[in-house]
Amino acid sequence: MHTVTRFLSVVTLVLVVSGCASIPQPLQGDTTLFAPIMANQATPDAVGLKVRWGGVIVSTDPKVDRTCMEILARELDRS
């Protein structure tokens, strides 16, 4: 019985560690190097670009056709 428990513990550990080793599917793919500070000077051709920003949402202002967000930007790292 002790062997089965040890085996299940090892399998669980491997699954947990392997889950942390890859980028989740929704976050995979190419993004544009477009810093948040650049958004204020963006031209119309920047609309629709995929970007990946990190930070904390400070406030939101829902409108009929869009939502404006104030974000405290943080640099992204491995975690």
Side-chain angles (χ1 to χ4, degrees), residues 6-29:
R6 179 178 283 172
F7 174 75
L8 290 175
S9 296
V10 170
V11 169
T12 302
L13 179 64
V14 168
L15 290 174
V16 168
V17 170
S18 67
C20 298
S22 61
I23 298 173
Q25 185 66 33
L27 297 180
Q28 291 179 3

Side-chain angles (χ1 to χ4, degrees), residues 12-54:
T12 302
L13 179 64
V14 168
L15 290 174
V16 168
V17 170
S18 67
C20 298
S22 61
I23 298 173
Q25 185 66 33
L27 297 180
Q28 291 179 3
D30 294 330
T31 58
T32 305
L33 294 176
F34 191 82
I37 197 157
M38 296 167 65
N40 287 336
Q41 295 89 27
T43 59
D45 59 325
V47 174
L49 292 176
K50 291 183 178 182
V51 297
R52 186 170 299 138
W53 293 341

